[in-house]
Amino acid sequence: MSRIAQRELTPVLPQDQVALPKPEDQLRWATAEKFIAHRNMHHLFPCDVVPAGDHVRPLETVGNIDATYTYEGKRLTLDDYFDDNQTTGLIMLKRGKIVLEKYAHGNNASTRWASRSMAKSFTSTLVGAAIQDGAIDSVDDLVSKYVPELKGSLYDGVSLRHALQMVSGVPFIEDYKDPNADVYTLQACTVGREVGSFLRLLDKVANRVPKQTTPPGSVFYYSSLDSILCGIIVERATGKRPAAYLSEKIWKPFGMEADGFWNTEADGGTTFTASGIGATLRDYARFGQFILEGGSIGTTQILPSWWLSEATKPSEASLRERAPYGFQWWLHAAQGVNSVRAGAVDPETPFADPLPLRGADSIFYALGNAGQSISISPIEGIVIVKWAAWNDSQGPNGRGRHADATLFTALTDAVA
């Protein structure tokens, strides 16, 4: 299998050029705008390239399965799912081989599509790689060891484990429906193109007056700011920009077929490690396969042997929220808790019986705004990657993740 040429990281398609949405409106883009923007994020925002190598890991296609399934009392096809859920790409690997690959809305195998918060799982993986390399001593190191500017702030006393699990206790409001929420200030950093804006936001949030004293580990706040902090720590500890480190540790040695990208706050500025990665559908699937194979490449262990066990262990705080969450990975179910956020149960009936998804207790996800996901099922040997352009973060009728998990249940059954 040959590499996909860089081709300027895919030039803007002529039909997209006349309709590119405004970067500053990112959190207000409608579905039609996302269809265009999500494959052009490297043109809308500054970025670093994630170079692929000369070797490409082949992905043999052994089928292109179809599946019908029932949702909300209706019998649906895969085409129905794409239409109903604004889906733009879907790939499924079984034991490392393609059993389903489908694109829509102008995308194809060379399209680099925005990861959104799926990038958080990449960021946590780089933390693991930095520990394996000896650049970071431990997940229980205090974050102030690597970012001393945060001493005396709300992040003082917060460990890297706390930040990875989003239990830092530092209040960051990630409400996409509230234009006054912190996430809008974060979004402004991505369009201001000012070096240091992410670190200034960290300092501002961590030094608010009056200071809210929430002990680290006690409360689960979903916070993109914690993810950005993890990325800053990776860069400072390794001395390498996240895009370069990702290329060195995974992209080149595992055999990704196309250069990816990672958005930054400015040219040469801090990487948007809470989001911002762009890659092809197959390369996202390869990343999922890398994780499924235990974070090793051949005989080389890229991640510590214990890493994935710890990374997919939920914090007690996230269990209390019925949203089991590890090191920037969402769990389908854990310790008797079925995740509402990951779609194991319908959010309208959170205490009902969960979906009968094979291997449910082992499944974990990278999830991104507007319907992006990487689903990894160690027991079944399955990786599913899905792109979408939902109007909001929860999907149609607030039930997008449950609709996804319902389809994934049917697809898993189809290859059992």
Coordinates of all heavy atoms in Angstrom, one line a residue, residues 289-378:
Q289 N -6.0 0.6 16.2 CA -5.4 -0.7 16.2 C -4.1 -0.7 17.0 O -3.8 -1.7 17.7 CB -5.1 -1.1 14.8 CG -4.7 -2.5 14.6 CD -5.8 -3.6 14.9 OE1 -6.9 -3.3 14.8 NE2 -5.3 -4.7 15.4
F290 N -3.4 0.4 17.0 CA -2.2 0.5 17.8 C -2.5 0.4 19.3 O -1.9 -0.3 20.0 CB -1.5 1.9 17.5 CG -0.5 2.3 18.6 CD1 0.7 1.7 18.6 CD2 -0.8 3.3 19.5 CE1 1.7 2.1 19.6 CE2 0.1 3.7 20.5 CZ 1.3 3.1 20.5
I291 N -3.6 1.0 19.7 CA -4.1 0.9 21.1 C -4.6 -0.5 21.4 O -4.2 -1.1 22.4 CB -5.2 2.0 21.4 CG1 -4.6 3.4 21.2 CG2 -5.8 1.7 22.7 CD1 -3.6 3.8 22.2
L292 N -5.3 -1.1 20.4 CA -5.9 -2.4 20.6 C -4.7 -3.4 20.8 O -4.9 -4.4 21.6 CB -6.7 -2.8 19.4 CG -7.4 -4.1 19.5 CD1 -8.5 -4.1 20.5 CD2 -8.0 -4.5 18.1
E293 N -3.6 -3.2 20.2 CA -2.5 -4.1 20.2 C -1.6 -3.8 21.4 O -0.5 -4.4 21.5 CB -1.7 -4.1 18.9 CG -2.5 -4.6 17.8 CD -1.7 -4.5 16.4 OE1 -0.5 -4.2 16.4 OE2 -2.3 -4.9 15.4
G294 N -2.1 -3.0 22.3 CA -1.3 -2.8 23.6 C -0.3 -1.7 23.6 O 0.5 -1.6 24.5
G295 N -0.3 -0.9 22.6 CA 0.7 0.2 22.5 C 2.1 -0.2 22.2 O 3.1 0.4 22.6
S296 N 2.2 -1.3 21.5 CA 3.5 -1.8 21.1 C 3.6 -1.9 19.5 O 2.5 -2.0 18.9 CB 3.9 -3.2 21.7 OG 2.9 -4.1 21.2
I297 N 4.8 -1.8 19.0 CA 5.0 -1.9 17.6 C 6.1 -2.9 17.4 O 7.3 -2.7 17.7 CB 5.4 -0.5 16.9 CG1 4.3 0.5 17.2 CG2 5.6 -0.7 15.4 CD1 4.7 1.9 16.7
G298 N 5.7 -4.1 16.9 CA 6.6 -5.2 16.8 C 7.1 -5.6 18.2 O 6.3 -5.8 19.1
T299 N 8.4 -5.5 18.4 CA 8.9 -5.9 19.8 C 9.2 -4.6 20.6 O 9.7 -4.7 21.7 CB 10.2 -6.7 19.6 OG1 11.2 -5.9 18.9 CG2 10.0 -8.0 18.9
T300 N 8.9 -3.5 20.0 CA 9.1 -2.2 20.8 C 7.9 -1.8 21.5 O 6.8 -1.6 20.9 CB 9.5 -1.1 19.8 OG1 10.7 -1.5 19.1 CG2 9.8 0.2 20.5
Q301 N 8.0 -1.6 22.8 CA 6.9 -1.1 23.6 C 6.9 0.4 23.6 O 7.8 1.0 24.2 CB 7.1 -1.6 25.1 CG 5.8 -1.5 25.9 CD 4.7 -2.5 25.5 OE1 5.0 -3.6 25.1 NE2 3.5 -2.0 25.6
I302 N 5.9 1.0 23.0 CA 5.8 2.5 22.9 C 5.2 3.0 24.2 O 5.6 4.1 24.7 CB 5.0 2.9 21.7 CG1 5.6 2.3 20.4 CG2 4.9 4.5 21.7 CD1 7.0 2.8 20.1
L303 N 4.3 2.3 24.8 CA 3.6 2.7 26.0 C 4.1 1.7 27.1 O 4.4 0.6 26.8 CB 2.1 2.7 25.9 CG 1.5 3.5 24.8 CD1 0.0 3.3 24.7 CD2 1.8 5.0 24.9
P304 N 4.1 2.2 28.4 CA 4.4 1.2 29.4 C 3.4 0.0 29.4 O 2.3 0.2 29.0 CB 4.2 2.1 30.7 CG 4.4 3.5 30.3 CD 3.8 3.5 28.9
S305 N 3.9 -1.1 29.8 CA 3.1 -2.3 29.8 C 1.8 -2.2 30.6 O 0.8 -2.8 30.3 CB 3.9 -3.5 30.2 OG 4.4 -3.3 31.6
W306 N 1.9 -1.4 31.6 CA 0.7 -1.2 32.5 C -0.2 -0.1 32.1 O -1.3 0.1 32.6 CB 1.2 -0.9 33.9 CG 2.2 0.3 34.0 CD1 3.6 0.1 34.0 CD2 1.9 1.7 34.0 NE1 4.2 1.4 34.0 CE2 3.2 2.3 34.0 CE3 0.8 2.4 34.0 CZ2 3.3 3.7 34.1 CZ3 0.9 3.8 34.1 CH2 2.1 4.5 34.1
W307 N 0.2 0.7 31.0 CA -0.5 1.9 30.7 C -2.0 1.8 30.4 O -2.8 2.5 31.0 CB 0.2 2.7 29.6 CG -0.4 4.0 29.2 CD1 -1.3 4.2 28.1 CD2 -0.3 5.2 29.9 NE1 -1.7 5.5 28.1 CE2 -1.2 6.1 29.2 CE3 0.3 5.6 31.0 CZ2 -1.3 7.4 29.6 CZ3 0.2 6.9 31.4 CH2 -0.6 7.8 30.7
L308 N -2.3 0.9 29.5 CA -3.7 0.8 29.0 C -4.6 0.3 30.1 O -5.8 0.7 30.2 CB -3.8 0.0 27.8 CG -3.2 0.6 26.5 CD1 -3.2 -0.3 25.4 CD2 -4.1 1.9 26.2
S309 N -4.1 -0.5 31.0 CA -4.9 -1.0 32.1 C -5.3 0.2 33.0 O -6.4 0.4 33.5 CB -4.1 -2.0 32.9 OG -4.8 -2.4 34.1
E310 N -4.3 1.1 33.3 CA -4.5 2.3 34.1 C -5.4 3.3 33.3 O -6.2 4.0 33.9 CB -3.2 2.9 34.5 CG -2.5 2.2 35.7 CD -3.3 2.3 37.0 OE1 -3.5 3.4 37.5 OE2 -3.8 1.2 37.5
A311 N -5.1 3.5 32.0 CA -5.7 4.5 31.2 C -7.2 4.2 31.1 O -8.0 5.2 30.8 CB -5.0 4.6 29.9
T312 N -7.6 3.0 31.2 CA -9.0 2.6 31.0 C -9.7 2.2 32.3 O -10.7 1.6 32.3 CB -9.2 1.5 30.0 OG1 -8.4 0.3 30.4 CG2 -8.7 1.9 28.6
K313 N -9.1 2.7 33.4 CA -9.7 2.5 34.7 C -10.4 3.8 35.1 O -9.8 4.9 35.1 CB -8.6 2.2 35.7 CG -9.1 1.9 37.1 CD -7.9 1.6 38.1 CE -7.1 0.4 37.7 NZ -6.0 0.1 38.6
P314 N -11.7 3.8 35.4 CA -12.4 5.0 35.6 C -12.1 5.6 37.0 O -11.9 4.9 38.0 CB -13.9 4.6 35.6 CG -13.9 3.1 36.0 CD -12.6 2.6 35.5
S315 N -12.2 6.9 37.1 CA -12.1 7.6 38.4 C -13.4 7.4 39.1 O -14.5 7.2 38.5 CB -11.8 9.1 38.2 OG -13.0 9.7 37.7
E316 N -13.3 7.4 40.5 CA -14.5 7.2 41.3 C -15.4 8.4 41.0 O -16.7 8.3 41.0 CB -14.1 7.2 42.8 CG -13.4 5.9 43.2 CD -14.3 4.7 43.0 OE1 -15.6 4.8 43.2 OE2 -13.8 3.6 42.6
A317 N -14.9 9.6 40.8 CA -15.7 10.8 40.6 C -16.5 10.6 39.3 O -17.7 11.0 39.2 CB -14.8 12.0 40.5
S318 N -15.9 10.1 38.2 CA -16.7 9.9 37.0 C -17.7 8.8 37.1 O -18.8 8.9 36.5 CB -15.7 9.6 35.8 OG -15.2 8.3 36.0
L319 N -17.5 7.8 37.9 CA -18.5 6.8 38.1 C -19.7 7.4 38.8 O -20.9 7.0 38.5 CB -17.9 5.6 39.0 CG -16.9 4.7 38.3 CD1 -16.3 3.8 39.3 CD2 -17.6 3.9 37.2
R320 N -19.5 8.3 39.8 CA -20.6 8.9 40.4 C -21.5 9.8 39.5 O -22.7 10.0 39.7 CB -20.1 9.8 41.6 CG -19.6 9.1 42.8 CD -19.4 9.9 44.0 NE -18.4 11.0 43.8 CZ -17.1 10.8 44.1 NH1 -16.7 9.6 44.6 NH2 -16.2 11.8 43.9
E321 N -20.8 10.2 38.4 CA -21.6 11.0 37.4 C -22.2 10.1 36.3 O -22.7 10.6 35.3 CB -20.6 12.0 36.7 CG -20.1 13.1 37.6 CD -21.2 14.0 38.2 OE1 -22.1 14.3 37.4 OE2 -21.1 14.4 39.4
R322 N -22.1 8.8 36.5 CA -22.6 7.8 35.5 C -21.9 8.1 34.1 O -22.5 7.9 33.1 CB -24.1 7.8 35.4 CG -24.8 7.6 36.7 CD -26.3 7.2 36.5 NE -26.4 5.9 35.9 CZ -26.2 4.7 36.4 NH1 -25.9 4.7 37.7 NH2 -26.3 3.6 35.7
A323 N -20.6 8.4 34.2 CA -19.9 8.7 32.9 C -18.5 8.2 33.1 O -17.5 9.0 33.2 CB -19.9 10.2 32.6
P324 N -18.3 6.9 33.2 CA -16.9 6.3 33.5 C -15.9 6.9 32.6 O -16.0 6.8 31.3 CB -17.1 4.8 33.3 CG -18.6 4.6 33.4 CD -19.3 5.8 33.0
Y325 N -14.8 7.4 33.1 CA -13.8 8.1 32.4 C -12.4 7.8 32.9 O -12.2 7.8 34.1 CB -14.0 9.6 32.4 CG -13.3 10.4 31.4 CD1 -13.7 10.5 30.1 CD2 -12.2 11.3 31.8 CE1 -13.0 11.3 29.2 CE2 -11.6 12.1 30.9 CZ -12.0 12.1 29.6 OH -11.3 12.9 28.7
G326 N -11.5 7.4 32.0 CA -10.1 7.1 32.5 C -9.2 8.2 32.1 O -9.4 9.4 32.4
F327 N -8.0 7.9 31.5 CA -7.1 8.9 31.1 C -7.5 9.4 29.7 O -6.9 9.1 28.7 CB -5.7 8.3 31.0 CG -5.0 7.9 32.3 CD1 -3.8 7.2 32.3 CD2 -5.6 8.2 33.5 CE1 -3.2 6.9 33.5 CE2 -5.0 7.9 34.7 CZ -3.8 7.2 34.7
Q328 N -8.5 10.2 29.7 CA -9.0 10.9 28.5 C -9.6 9.8 27.5 O -9.6 10.0 26.3 CB -7.9 11.7 27.8 CG -7.1 12.5 28.7 CD -7.4 14.0 28.8 OE1 -7.4 14.7 27.8 NE2 -7.6 14.4 30.0
W329 N -10.1 8.7 28.1 CA -10.9 7.7 27.3 C -12.2 7.5 28.1 O -12.2 7.4 29.3 CB -10.1 6.3 27.3 CG -8.9 6.3 26.5 CD1 -7.6 6.3 27.0 CD2 -8.7 6.1 25.1 NE1 -6.7 6.2 26.0 CE2 -7.4 6.0 24.8 CE3 -9.7 5.9 24.1 CZ2 -6.9 5.9 23.5 CZ3 -9.2 5.7 22.8 CH2 -7.8 5.7 22.5
W330 N -13.3 7.5 27.3 CA -14.6 7.2 27.8 C -14.8 5.7 27.8 O -14.5 5.0 26.9 CB -15.7 7.8 27.0 CG -15.7 9.3 26.9 CD1 -15.1 10.1 26.0 CD2 -16.3 10.2 27.9 NE1 -15.3 11.4 26.3 CE2 -16.0 11.5 27.4 CE3 -17.1 10.0 29.0 CZ2 -16.5 12.7 28.1 CZ3 -17.5 11.1 29.7 CH2 -17.2 12.4 29.2
L331 N -15.4 5.2 28.9 CA -15.6 3.7 29.0 C -17.1 3.5 28.7 O -18.0 4.2 29.1 CB -15.3 3.2 30.4 CG -13.9 3.6 30.9 CD1 -13.6 2.9 32.3 CD2 -12.8 3.3 29.9
H332 N -17.4 2.4 28.0 CA -18.8 2.0 27.7 C -19.5 1.7 29.0 O -20.7 2.1 29.2 CB -18.8 0.9 26.7 CG -20.2 0.5 26.2 ND1 -20.8 1.2 25.1 CD2 -21.1 -0.4 26.6 CE1 -22.0 0.7 24.9 NE2 -22.2 -0.3 25.8
A333 N -18.9 0.9 29.8 CA -19.5 0.4 31.1 C -18.3 0.0 32.0 O -17.3 -0.5 31.6 CB -20.4 -0.8 30.9
A334 N -18.5 0.3 33.3 CA -17.5 -0.1 34.3 C -18.1 -0.2 35.7 O -18.9 0.7 36.1 CB -16.4 1.0 34.3
Q335 N -17.8 -1.2 36.4 CA -18.2 -1.4 37.7 C -19.7 -1.3 37.9 O -20.2 -0.7 38.8 CB -17.5 -0.5 38.7 CG -16.0 -0.7 38.6 CD -15.2 0.3 39.5 OE1 -15.7 0.7 40.6 NE2 -14.0 0.7 39.1
G336 N -20.4 -1.8 36.9 CA -21.9 -1.8 37.0 C -22.5 -0.5 36.6 O -23.7 -0.3 36.6
V337 N -21.7 0.5 36.1 CA -22.2 1.8 35.6 C -22.2 1.8 34.1 O -21.1 1.6 33.5 CB -21.4 2.9 36.2 CG1 -21.9 4.3 35.6 CG2 -21.5 3.0 37.7
N338 N -23.3 2.0 33.5 CA -23.5 2.0 32.1 C -23.4 3.5 31.6 O -24.2 4.3 32.1 CB -24.8 1.4 31.6 CG -24.8 -0.1 31.9 OD1 -23.9 -0.9 31.4 ND2 -25.8 -0.5 32.7
S339 N -22.5 3.8 30.8 CA -22.3 5.3 30.5 C -23.4 5.9 29.6 O -23.7 5.4 28.5 CB -21.0 5.4 29.7 OG -20.8 6.8 29.3
V340 N -24.0 7.0 30.2 CA -24.9 7.8 29.4 C -24.1 8.5 28.3 O -24.6 8.7 27.2 CB -25.7 8.7 30.3 CG1 -26.5 9.7 29.5 CG2 -26.5 8.0 31.3
R341 N -22.9 9.0 28.7 CA -22.2 9.9 27.7 C -21.7 9.1 26.5 O -21.6 9.6 25.4 CB -21.0 10.5 28.5 CG -21.4 11.5 29.6 CD -21.9 12.8 29.1 NE -20.9 13.6 28.5 CZ -20.1 14.5 29.1 NH1 -20.3 14.6 30.4 NH2 -19.2 15.2 28.5
A342 N -21.4 7.8 26.7 CA -20.9 7.0 25.6 C -22.0 6.2 24.9 O -21.7 5.5 23.9 CB -19.8 6.0 26.1
G343 N -23.2 6.3 25.4 CA -24.3 5.7 24.7 C -24.7 4.3 25.1 O -25.5 3.6 24.4
A344 N -24.1 3.8 26.2 CA -24.5 2.4 26.6 C -26.0 2.3 26.9 O -26.6 1.2 26.8 CB -23.6 2.0 27.8
V345 N -26.5 3.4 27.4 CA -27.9 3.5 27.7 C -28.5 4.7 27.1 O -27.8 5.7 26.9 CB -28.2 3.5 29.2 CG1 -28.0 2.1 29.8 CG2 -27.4 4.5 29.9
D346 N -29.8 4.7 26.8 CA -30.5 5.9 26.3 C -30.5 7.0 27.4 O -30.9 6.7 28.5 CB -31.9 5.5 25.9 CG -32.6 6.6 25.1 OD1 -32.4 7.8 25.4 OD2 -33.4 6.2 24.3
P347 N -30.0 8.2 27.1 CA -30.0 9.3 28.1 C -31.4 9.6 28.6 O -31.6 10.1 29.7 CB -29.5 10.5 27.3 CG -29.6 10.2 25.9 CD -29.5 8.7 25.8
E348 N -32.5 9.2 27.9 CA -33.8 9.4 28.4 C -34.2 8.4 29.4 O -35.1 8.6 30.2 CB -34.8 9.5 27.2 CG -34.6 10.6 26.3 CD -35.7 10.7 25.2 OE1 -36.6 9.8 25.2 OE2 -35.7 11.6 24.4
T349 N -33.6 7.3 29.4 CA -33.9 6.2 30.4 C -32.5 5.6 30.9 O -32.2 4.5 30.6 CB -34.7 5.1 29.8 OG1 -34.0 4.6 28.6 CG2 -36.1 5.6 29.4
P350 N -31.8 6.4 31.7 CA -30.4 6.0 32.0 C -30.3 4.8 32.9 O -29.2 4.2 33.0 CB -29.9 7.3 32.8 CG -31.1 8.0 33.3 CD -32.2 7.7 32.2
F351 N -31.4 4.4 33.6 CA -31.3 3.2 34.5 C -32.0 2.0 33.8 O -32.1 1.0 34.5 CB -32.0 3.5 35.8 CG -31.3 4.6 36.6 CD1 -31.7 5.9 36.5 CD2 -30.1 4.4 37.2 CE1 -31.1 7.0 37.2 CE2 -29.4 5.4 37.9 CZ -29.9 6.7 37.9
A352 N -32.3 2.1 32.5 CA -32.8 0.9 31.8 C -31.7 -0.1 31.5 O -30.5 0.2 31.7 CB -33.5 1.4 30.6
D353 N -32.1 -1.2 31.0 CA -31.1 -2.2 30.6 C -30.2 -1.7 29.5 O -30.7 -1.0 28.6 CB -31.8 -3.5 30.1 CG -32.4 -4.3 31.3 OD1 -32.1 -4.0 32.5 OD2 -33.3 -5.1 31.0
P354 N -28.9 -1.9 29.6 CA -28.0 -1.4 28.5 C -28.2 -2.2 27.2 O -28.8 -3.2 27.2 CB -26.6 -1.6 29.1 CG -26.8 -2.8 30.0 CD -28.2 -2.7 30.6
L355 N -27.6 -1.6 26.2 CA -27.6 -2.3 24.9 C -26.8 -3.6 25.0 O -25.8 -3.7 25.7 CB -26.9 -1.4 23.8 CG -27.6 -0.2 23.4 CD1 -26.7 0.7 22.6 CD2 -28.8 -0.6 22.5
P356 N -27.2 -4.7 24.3 CA -26.6 -6.0 24.4 C -25.3 -6.0 23.5 O -25.2 -6.8 22.5 CB -27.6 -6.9 23.9 CG -28.4 -6.1 22.9 CD -28.5 -4.7 23.4
L357 N -24.4 -5.1 23.7 CA -23.2 -5.0 22.9 C -22.1 -6.0 23.3 O -21.7 -6.0 24.5 CB -22.7 -3.5 23.0 CG -21.4 -3.2 22.2 CD1 -21.5 -3.5 20.7 CD2 -21.1 -1.7 22.4
R358 N -21.7 -6.8 22.4 CA -20.7 -7.8 22.7 C -19.4 -7.2 23.2 O -18.9 -6.2 22.7 CB -20.3 -8.7 21.5 CG -21.5 -9.5 21.0 CD -21.1 -10.2 19.6 NE -22.2 -10.9 19.1 CZ -22.4 -12.2 19.3 NH1 -21.5 -12.9 20.0 NH2 -23.4 -12.8 18.7
G359 N -18.9 -7.7 24.3 CA -17.6 -7.1 24.9 C -17.8 -5.8 25.5 O -16.8 -5.1 25.7
A360 N -19.0 -5.5 25.9 CA -19.3 -4.1 26.4 C -18.4 -3.7 27.6 O -17.9 -2.5 27.6 CB -20.8 -4.0 26.9
D361 N -18.1 -4.6 28.5 CA -17.3 -4.2 29.7 C -15.8 -3.9 29.3 O -15.1 -3.4 30.2 CB -17.3 -5.3 30.7 CG -18.7 -5.4 31.4 OD1 -19.5 -4.5 31.3 OD2 -19.0 -6.5 32.0
S362 N -15.4 -4.2 28.1 CA -14.0 -3.9 27.7 C -13.9 -2.7 26.8 O -12.8 -2.3 26.5 CB -13.4 -5.1 27.1 OG -13.8 -5.3 25.7
I363 N -15.0 -2.2 26.3 CA -15.0 -1.2 25.2 C -14.7 0.2 25.8 O -15.2 0.6 26.8 CB -16.4 -1.2 24.5 CG1 -16.5 -2.5 23.7 CG2 -16.5 0.0 23.5 CD1 -17.9 -2.7 23.1
F364 N -13.9 0.9 25.1 CA -13.6 2.3 25.4 C -13.5 3.1 24.2 O -13.4 2.6 23.1 CB -12.4 2.4 26.3 CG -11.1 1.8 25.7 CD1 -10.2 2.6 25.1 CD2 -10.8 0.5 25.9 CE1 -9.0 2.1 24.6 CE2 -9.7 -0.1 25.4 CZ -8.7 0.7 24.7
Y365 N -13.7 4.5 24.4 CA -13.9 5.3 23.2 C -13.0 6.6 23.3 O -12.8 7.1 24.4 CB -15.3 5.9 23.1 CG -16.4 4.8 23.0 CD1 -17.0 4.3 24.2 CD2 -16.9 4.5 21.8 CE1 -18.0 3.4 24.1 CE2 -18.0 3.6 21.7 CZ -18.5 3.0 22.9 OH -19.6 2.1 22.8
A366 N -12.6 7.1 22.2 CA -12.2 8.5 22.0 C -13.4 9.2 21.4 O -13.9 8.7 20.4 CB -11.0 8.6 21.1
L367 N -13.9 10.2 22.0 CA -15.1 10.9 21.5 C -14.8 12.3 21.2 O -14.1 13.0 22.0 CB -16.3 10.8 22.6 CG -16.8 9.4 23.0 CD1 -17.9 9.5 24.0 CD2 -17.3 8.6 21.7
G368 N -15.4 12.8 20.1 CA -15.2 14.2 19.7 C -16.5 14.9 19.4 O -17.5 14.3 19.0
N369 N -16.6 16.2 19.6 CA -17.7 17.0 19.4 C -18.3 16.8 18.0 O -17.6 16.5 17.1 CB -17.3 18.5 19.6 CG -18.5 19.4 19.6 OD1 -19.2 19.5 18.6 ND2 -18.7 20.1 20.7
A370 N -19.6 16.8 17.9 CA -20.4 16.7 16.7 C -20.3 15.3 16.1 O -20.6 15.1 14.9 CB -19.9 17.7 15.6
G371 N -20.0 14.3 17.0 CA -20.2 12.9 16.5 C -19.0 12.1 16.1 O -19.1 11.0 15.6
Q372 N -17.8 12.6 16.4 CA -16.6 11.8 16.1 C -16.4 10.8 17.1 O -16.6 11.0 18.3 CB -15.4 12.7 16.0 CG -15.5 14.1 15.4 CD -16.4 14.2 14.2 OE1 -16.4 13.5 13.3 NE2 -17.4 15.2 14.3
S373 N -15.9 9.6 16.7 CA -15.6 8.6 17.7 C -14.6 7.5 17.2 O -14.6 7.2 16.0 CB -16.9 7.9 18.2 OG -17.4 7.1 17.2
I374 N -13.8 7.0 18.1 CA -13.0 5.8 17.9 C -13.5 4.8 19.0 O -13.3 5.1 20.1 CB -11.5 6.0 18.0 CG1 -11.1 7.1 17.0 CG2 -10.8 4.7 17.8 CD1 -9.6 7.5 17.2
S375 N -14.0 3.7 18.6 CA -14.5 2.7 19.5 C -13.5 1.5 19.4 O -13.2 1.0 18.3 CB -15.9 2.2 19.1 OG -16.3 1.1 19.8
I376 N -13.1 1.1 20.6 CA -12.1 0.0 20.7 C -12.7 -1.1 21.6 O -13.0 -0.9 22.7 CB -10.7 0.5 21.2 CG1 -10.2 1.6 20.3 CG2 -9.8 -0.7 21.4 CD1 -9.0 2.3 20.8
S377 N -12.8 -2.3 21.0 CA -13.3 -3.5 21.7 C -12.2 -4.5 21.8 O -12.1 -5.4 20.9 CB -14.5 -4.0 21.0 OG -15.0 -5.2 21.6
P378 N -11.5 -4.6 22.9 CA -10.4 -5.6 23.0 C -10.9 -7.0 22.9 O -10.2 -7.9 22.3 CB -9.8 -5.2 24.4 CG -10.1 -3.8 24.6 CD -11.4 -3.6 24.0

